[in-house]
Amino acid sequence: MAYYCYLMRCADGSFYTGWTLDPHRREQQHNQGRGAKYTRLHRPVKLVYVEEQPDLSSALKREKAIKKLSHQQKEKMALGWQDKMEISFADLTVVSPGRVNLLGEHVDYNDGLVFPAAIDREVTIRVGKRMDDVVYLRALDLGEEVSFSVNTLDQKIDIDGQPLPTWALYPAGVAWVLLQHGLRVSGMEAEFTSNLPMGAGLSSSAALEVGFAVVWEVLGDWDLDRMTLARYAQAAEVQYVGLNCGLMDQFACANGVAGHALVLDIRSLQWRPVPLPAGYKIVIANSMVKHELVGSEYNTRHQECNEAVEIFQHHLPEVHSLRDVSLQQLLTLQAEFPENVFKRARHVISEIGRVQQAVQVLEAGEVKAFGELMYATHASLRDDYAVSCREIDILVEIAAGLPGCVGARLTGGGFGGCTVNLVREEAVAEFTRELKQQYLERTGISAAIFPCQAANGAHVI
Ligand code: GLA
């Protein structure tokens, strides 16, 4: 642990000397009147000098020595530090998009194929470099802040030893994974804001993870290919946050290509961008419903898929994942499966087939056929995978009856969240109005409905 001696310049020009574990946080405390009696009476204060000490007793000794210096000597120290900071502080802004999944739901942790697109809704992270190992984060939309040291990531605690708030687990988890891979992770000050609805199935968590991975890449002056970066971000979510997710979200946030959806084969990690059809828009409808237990239900589905693989393996030892079996093989062995496990497997196997077909029809310009596959996916998620809910089903049902809509379905993990709709461009305005109105009439809820564009992956601006 590092200790710091510091100088604050007070409102009347005088200096206050102290020691701390986190100089920037200490500055805030002084300004909130929670630092010392002297600074409380001479606010606002500004941090003008920091010096690292190896241990507490050296910090206390040095604090005493600085206190004895003349005002002029302190002024000199402050000026020298200011010059140094101006050189080493780098302002950096990173934008990291959410994603919408067009097809291939709950197949990424089954070695399947997915077809997501990064979207023009994103997390924006503004960063200042700092000299120590402390990460200070401010979540602007939540009005919350936290500081933690990159040396105590294992314990998931902040600088005061308190458990990290849930939102901070995403960046902290990324730092933890990066360190395990021997990459430099520096302290920083960052604030972030998002125009992506949180927890609505548009990958706000992956956007945060990938965004912070890019921030540390720039600050640490190392370079990772985007697939590896996405895999590290996924590892943060699985191993640190505890959601046993697949790779799709982090992949899409890291690799998005404007105007395109991305077809990714999770088994080979081969992928390519596929242009979105001209004359159509992707419209997202947020049901504004969020069901608890998303994480535990998600992990249960993952577990049920593993169970299905084990049952297959009794008969077909060469099977490693549901990617390796056909619907016919499932039907032949149906009697061996508990009903829920049979249904989960039927969804996964049929969904992988739908993605293969969907990419072909889209590239052949058969947009209607693509839309039919979206409806089929929704039915499968609702009936076999059991991850939909009443409000989402209502959104899909209404959309299916509206002019210009060729396909609609639940997108993302489920249990609330959003639907994705493919709508003829000229019909978008009326579609949006009608969907909002009819959903309100049937549920009493005002949905947020917006068209989106396929965007580029996370980048520095
Ligand atoms: C969440 C997960 C993804 C994926 C989807 C469902 O978004 O993070 O890995 O499994 O659910 O397709």
Side-chain angles (χ1 to χ4, degrees), residues 99 101 104-106 108-109 243 245-249 298 412-413:
R99 66 98 190 90
N101 189 19
E105 215 66 90
H106 287 280
D108 58 351
Y109 49 89
L243 186 82
C245 67
L247 179 62
M248 170 173 72
D249 302 351
Y298 184 95

Side-chain angles (χ1 to χ4, degrees), residues 243-369:
L243 186 82
N244 215 353
C245 67
L247 179 62
M248 170 173 72
D249 302 351
Q250 293 80 3
F251 157 79
C253 299
N255 293 283
V257 178
H260 295 70
L262 318 171
V263 57
L264 166 69
D265 181 334
I266 300 274
R267 176 159 269 179
S268 65
L269 294 184
Q270 297 286 326
W271 68 276
R272 67 193 164 84
V274 176
L276 287 170
Y280 290 84
K281 278 254 179 272
I282 298 171
V283 179
I284 292 174
N286 185 350
S287 67
M288 309 304 274
V289 174
K290 240 189 253 183
H291 289 289
E292 296 303 320
L293 300 176
V294 174
S296 63
E297 286 291 330
Y298 184 95
N299 287 347
T300 304
R301 294 297 178 283
H302 196 149
Q303 186 47 40
E304 288 167 333
C305 292
N306 292 345
E307 262 178 75
V309 172
E310 275 170 31
I311 296 171
F312 273 119
Q313 281 171 341
H314 291 148
H315 304 270
L316 306 161
E318 68 281 11
V319 169
H320 291 291
S321 71
L322 291 177
R323 173 76 180 270
D324 296 324
V325 283
S326 64
L327 273 180
Q328 192 48 53
Q329 285 170 313
L330 176 68
L331 290 174
T332 310
L333 293 171
Q334 180 167 2
E336 310 279 312
F337 286 81
E339 196 192 343
N340 62 326
V341 178
F342 170 78
K343 284 173 145 186
R344 307 303 182 250
R346 183 164 63 185
H347 165 73
V348 172
I349 300 167
S350 63
E351 181 72 353
I352 294 173
R354 276 188 291 273
V355 179
Q356 284 160 334
Q357 221 184 324
V359 175
Q360 276 177 18
V361 294
L362 199 64
E363 289 187 316
E366 296 164 27
V367 184
K368 282 221 166 93

